[in-house]
Amino acid sequence: MTHSQAESVIKNIIREIGQECAMKGQTVSETLVAFMVKAVVLDPRNGFNVDRTLTKADVQKLIKLSIERLLDTSNPSLDTIKMQVYFDMNYISRVELIKEQHRVLDSRLAPVGREITDSRARTREELESVYRKIVSYVLLRSGLGSPTDIKVIREATAALQSVFPQTELAAFLSLSKKEKERQLKELTMIVTGIRLFNKECGKGGEGIDELPAILNEAIPAANHHIEIELQASKDLAYQYTALIEMMHLSQNAEIELKTTMLKEVLYNVRQHEAFLCIILSDVITCAQEVDMMQKQFAAQMEHLKSIVQAKTAVPTSLVYPIFIALSNLWTSFQDEILVLSFLNNLTINLQQFLGAHSVIFPEDVMESLLEDIIVKTDEERLKESADSKVNPADFTVEEWLFPETTINFSQVQIQYHGFCAYTFAVKDGLLIPANLAVGILKFREKYYAFSSKEAAYNFAKNPEKCVKMIAEKAKESAELIQLLELHQQFESLAPYSQIRAKDKKSMKPITKCDTSTQTDIHILPPNIVKNYEWNEWELRRKAIKLANLRQKLTHSVQTNLSHMRRDNCSQVYPLKDNGTQTKRVSNTNVPKPQIFLAGLRGGTPPTTHMIKINLTRAVDET
């Protein structure tokens, strides 16, 4: 079967399972169905052979088992898988979320921007219409007030006219499209900065929300809500862990029947705890960003006030950069509002995957089960094993890492999401937090942590066996693949058909294989030099022959093909500048005539009397 045919078969299986679930009143996504199909195939109890192509009977069996698991709404394992699928489909990092929001805003404003940049307004009415569109564009992009509120429009128009009067609209329309778009964004930031400054001075700010104050209230509230949800999941995890530990010591058959269900609800709350930790980390980052931005915003505002100081005219080169900085900071406040809202919705939506706890293990049942059982928290377990550390001298080959001897110890990527590898392997899937202070074992470029010194020593005796047992448990509970971060490990696991062989104990995971590579001898085309000589005497003979050519005459003939193809050149000497110089320069200079006429303007007598005065110097006086 080709790859395209296999994809078509898988799509048909997923589509058929989705339709069957929908007919029975359960709507499921294709992603959830695909995950469930993978979980059914991996489960060794279902007997699927991943080494051969599925037959028609196998496909029908796969569809039937997948539908049964998807319709079992009271199964905590299904809730955990749904939670993982929901989180993977909806959660994105804060950086990607902000980028996506900006992309959506640009796409929504694109039609308004095109109306402005593509306008060919000529008349006065058309120019006024374009100017109003620019005001609307500025309001929509900045998000400061409603573009339908007349007070907001008047304030934005006044701010825009102070930096972009309507008389400059003709020059704006003559620019290129890219330059228009750039100027629109720049005008938006400047107008936003002006309105924010006016709001700070009490001279405007119509429709502008107090985003810093809103964030100062919303962030602690979100943090408190998440911490309450997180603590509730932790408390349930502590109780379930104590019950499972007691089952391994008890012979009570009634309690042992609930072992599988207890582990499934334990995985459910541990996965919920892991997701809430991710969300809480983002909320803390949001709080840090807001605190830093508030300080920057206050500093920029004070700097702007010191520049203006009730002056009637201020150079634009001083205030425009500050207006732009204020606008960028305010946009960051808006982004943090979006991120916080997204995290709150994500936290609320995760609660829908925790409904099985109150149904399977209500409070009265839990109280009866927990009688005479000591429930330990993760912190208490860590304190119990804080004083016991692995002694590296007891091992010859194994490499151990400790906080006091390892640089960047906190950045080491621990396997199984920080849970004890040995306890999970030998106690059939029990999740106990590992204590990093005990020591971290490096095995095949991976790092394993343990809950106690004894667990570390026992795991180090046969780590391959423990890793194999963990992989087998993960096959039975597919939700562990994501909870324990086993994606890479599952890609290298041996197929289940090999494990069902008779000699199971002698089998080991395939970690080495024979490989070979072939390199071409002559990658480049051959380059054989015909006149190459290795004999020294042959080279001497050719040298003598070339030396004799100095005494020979050379004759050449010009043909029709070579006519006018040769290069001729000639060399000439450049002309020299010649000159002579005499001993003395002799010349003559005659006096300049200086004759003045007086009385030409006339006067009181009717007749004019002109007087001529000659002030020219004599020749002998010069």
Side-chain angles (χ1 to χ4, degrees), residues 399 441-448 459 463-464 467:
E399 181 180 354
L441 174 63
K442 182 179 180 181
F443 175 68
R444 291 180 180 173
E445 303 303 324
K446 294 182 180 179
Y447 302 92
Y448 301 88
F459 183 89
E464 292 185 6
V467 172

Side-chain angles (χ1 to χ4, degrees), residues 57-84:
D58 293 336
V59 172
Q60 294 300 323
K61 179 181 178 182
L62 174 61
I63 294 174
K64 179 182 177 182
L65 292 175
S66 300
I67 293 174
E68 290 178 355
R69 293 195 61 178
L70 288 170
L71 296 179
D72 188 7
T73 56
S74 61
N75 187 359
S77 177
L78 178 61
D79 288 341
T80 306
I81 293 176
K82 288 182 178 180
M83 186 194 306
Q84 293 170 348

